[in-house]
Structures are given as structure tokens and as C-alpha cells.
Amino acid sequence: MIDVTAASQHASLNGRVTVNLSILFSELPLLERPAAAAAAGFTAAELWWPFGADHTPTEAELDALRKAFTDAGVQLTGLNFLDDLTKGAKGVLSVPAESKRFRENIPVAVALAESLGTKALNALYGNRVEGVDPAEQDALALENLVLAAQAAHAIGAVLLIEALNKVDAPDYPLHTAQAAVDIVDRVNAATGLGNATFLCDLYHLAVNGEDLPAVIAAHTGKTGHVQIADFPGRNEPGTGELNFDELFARLDAAGYPGRIGLEYRPSTGVSADSFEWLPRENRAG
């Protein structure tokens, strides 16, 4: 019997929380966000690709980002490969016209991750393209995911493959946990490395109407990272309908050992005001 009492006060998050600085503290310039996260009690953070899909960062820009994290004493725990989620790209690796740029980004993203001790790299699959055979896109996606998995493995990192919700990403083909896990299995079969894993974003899955306890029970063994936001609204826990004490308890019972990424929009628009649901002693990762 799983203990899902609210009395836990999210104690199971101790040492496991990482805050997504592409959506939280986004009211601040990028280089100020690690320090703001540290001031709020966090010691771990993750990022979508922070330089935009149309720009190759200079060494000076990369060094400035590294310095912002190291000066703040914040560990970068997760990083996306090339993307620009602010423009709705939802990944580029399955898009023929973008494949070359994705491949050119792999060593850049991996080098940044290695320099900051980042052990999880997220490769969003990309939207379907009108006029392109989905089978062609899937074949290209597998080629690029294999390259990404091999590069991640070289620095001891996992590759994350994520399902998104069909409301915000209608052209993204991975709308269920099973669809994402199927890609995980194909990549691992192709590489033999076993470092492709499922990114279980509970918000996206809730929007899609999935049975979250069933997803946790079925797929925790292949899950490399978990992200959360409440549903509906994609705001902080306590603003919607999801029972996070129950979900965290189920993750623990299923043996999930990893981090929990906070990937929500603060309901008031001020990130520092959105953490009352999480006691300060539970924030350090």
C-alpha cells in the first residue's frame, strides 16, 4: 500500500529538485537567473537550449553562461539540444531542413554540458513537416538520436526523449508516454549503449489525458528525468488538480531515483513568489 498522505510536505524531494531556468525566473536576463535561483534556495537547475535555434553561441557567450552557474554555486543538471521553444519549434532533429544544424549543435551542447557536469541532455523530436513523408522524418530522427546518444554517452550522460501535449504541440508526433518510450527502445537497440531514456513530464501527459499512476508504474524503469507543473494552467503545484504528494510517492515506490524538474510558469508572474508549496529545506539539490 502506497502512503500518499499530504503530511509528507514533499520531503521525498530532498536533494532531488532542479529548477528550469528557461521558464522560471524568465523575467530576468539569462545570466542573472542562476543567482536568483540560488537566492531562492536552489542549488540545481536545467535549461532549454538558451541561445535560440538561429544562433551559434560564441566562446565568450558560453563562458559567460558557465561563469553565471559556477559563481552562483548552481549545478546545471539538464540541457536541451538545439531548439527554440519560445518560437514553438519543438525540436529540429526530425526536420530535414534543420538536420545539419542539429548535428553541428551536438558537440557544442555536449561540450557545454561536460564543462558544467551536466548528465542529462534532452533531444526534442521535432514537428511533422507538411509535404514530407513521416517515415522519412522518423528515419532521420533515429539517425540523429543515435548521434546524440553516442555523444551524450561519451561524457557519461543520458539522452532524454520527451512526449509533449497535443494542445500546445499538435504537430509533434510523440503525444503519449508509450510513443516516447518506443523511440527510447529504438535508439537503445541501434546504439547498444542503453543511455536513451524517457523524460516523463507529468504536465504534458496530464494534458493528454494519460493515467499518470499507470504511466509511472509502467515506465519508471526507463525514465531518466521527471518534470512537473500543475494541470490545468501549467503553474506551480497547488494551483491545479494534480496530487503531487501521491505522484511523488508513486515515483518513490516505483524506484525512480532521479531528479524532479520544476518546469512551470509562476501563477503571479514572479518566480520567487511561486515556491511557497516547497519548503526551503527541500529545495537544495
Side-chain angles (χ1 to χ4, degrees):
M1 187 72 175
I2 297 172
D3 180 6
V4 295
T5 62
S8 68
Q9 289 292 302
H10 309 299
S12 67
L13 297 187
N14 279 335
R16 301 172 68 185
V17 174
T18 185
V19 59
N20 191 298
L21 296 185
S22 294
I23 189 168
L24 281 158
F25 296 105
S26 60
E27 64 268 30
L28 300 174
L30 174 64
L31 297 183
E32 295 179 16
R33 296 176 200 172
F42 296 99
T43 58
E46 59 190 19
L47 284 172
W48 302 337
W49 182 245
F51 300 105
D54 302 321
H55 172 65
T56 299
T58 65
E59 279 304 315
E61 289 173 316
L62 292 166
D63 286 343
L65 184 61
R66 293 185 185 101
K67 187 174 187 297
F69 276 92
T70 55
D71 285 356
V74 173
Q75 170 75 42
L76 183 66
T77 57
L79 178 68
N80 282 21
F81 284 107
L82 182 70
D83 199 5
D84 193 345
L85 291 178
T86 63
K87 296 181 179 179
K90 311 304 182 190
V92 298
L93 63 89
S94 68
V95 180
E98 305 292 345
S99 178
K100 182 175 183 289
R101 292 197 305 117
F102 177 80
R103 295 184 184 190
E104 291 172 345
N105 169 262
I106 290 175
V108 179
V110 169
L112 177 60
E114 183 178 29
S115 69
L116 289 170
T118 307
K119 296 301 182 183
L121 287 152
N122 185 22
L124 287 171
Y125 200 82
N127 292 334
R128 291 304 194 202
V129 179
E130 186 176 355
V132 179
D133 184 349
E136 178 186 345
Q137 285 196 255
D138 290 339
L140 179 62
L142 182 59
E143 291 178 16
N144 283 334
L145 286 168
V146 164
L147 294 173
Q150 291 169 335
H153 184 266
I155 64 166
V158 298
L159 178 73
L160 301 173
I161 297 171
E162 183 176 9
L164 300 182
N165 79 74
K166 56 192 174 185
V167 176
D168 297 325
D171 298 321
Y172 189 86
L174 309 182
H175 284 153
T176 66
Q178 187 61 59
V181 169
D182 286 346
I183 301 299
V184 167
D185 290 342
R186 289 175 199 164
V187 175
N188 285 333
T191 66
L193 298 174
N195 71 320
T197 61
F198 173 45
L199 196 171
C200 180
D201 187 308
L202 297 175
Y203 167 75
H204 285 300
L205 299 177
V207 174
N208 290 335
E210 292 217 45
D211 181 334
L212 299 185
V215 168
I216 291 169
H219 300 303
T220 291
K222 295 179 180 179
T223 296
H225 188 42
V226 171
Q227 291 176 330
I228 66 166
D230 214 334
F231 168 78
R234 200 176 187 177
N235 303 130
E236 63 268 23
T239 57
E241 301 171 0
L242 298 185
N243 184 335
F244 284 100
D245 278 300
E246 176 183 355
L247 293 170
F248 296 149
R250 289 184 182 278
L251 285 165
D252 289 344
Y256 175 67
R259 293 186 181 274
I260 307 290
L262 311 186
E263 195 185 57
Y264 62 76
R265 298 186 183 94
S267 59
T268 66
V270 180
S271 298
D273 295 339
S274 73
F275 303 119
E276 289 187 5
W277 66 276
L278 183 64
R280 193 176 181 92
E281 61 267 22
N282 296 150
R283 299 177 191 176

